[in-house]
């Protein structure tokens, strides 16, 4: 899978968990200036799970999960 200046995101507003992102890729994941992320305003950030063949190549790219609230929610897991 080749991503170039692309985004794969799952976001939520309010006290609701963000959805999960699951990527099953037979070959290499190549991400160039791209973002794979989950975020939530107050709920839990969704998990990001990537199964890629022999390698994941990130060139100026990010894989992140976050929660904006200081009091509620947890960031998701990245695996």
């Amino acid at each position: 899978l080749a991503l170039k200046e692309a985004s794969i995101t799952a976001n939520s507003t309010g006290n609701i968990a963000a959805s999960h992102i699951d990527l099953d890729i037979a070959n290499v994941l190549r991400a160039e200036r791209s973002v794979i992320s989950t975020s939530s305003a107050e709920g839990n950030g969704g998990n990001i799970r990537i199964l890629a063949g022999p390698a994941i190549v990130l060139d100026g790219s990010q894989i992140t999960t976050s929660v904006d609230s200081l009091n509620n929610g947890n960031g998701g897991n990245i695996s």
Side-chain angles (χ1 to χ4, degrees):
L1 175 64
L3 302 173
K4 187 171 183 180
E5 298 180 13
S7 296
I8 299 174
T9 61
N11 302 318
S12 73
T13 59
N15 193 5
I16 299 171
S19 294
H20 302 299
I21 296 174
D22 289 318
L23 299 175
D24 292 324
I25 303 160
N27 294 311
V28 174
L29 167 62
R30 294 184 183 276
E32 183 180 337
R33 294 184 309 276
S34 297
V35 174
I36 300 171
S37 69
T38 64
S39 65
S40 178
E42 293 186 51
N44 291 327
N47 295 326
I48 299 174
R49 184 183 64 85
I50 302 173
L51 295 175
I56 297 173
V57 179
L58 302 176
D59 180 7
S61 298
Q62 298 179 347
I63 300 173
T64 63
T65 180
S66 64
V67 176
D68 292 337
S69 175
L70 296 175
N71 299 317
N72 297 320
N74 297 302
N77 297 311
I78 298 172
S79 62

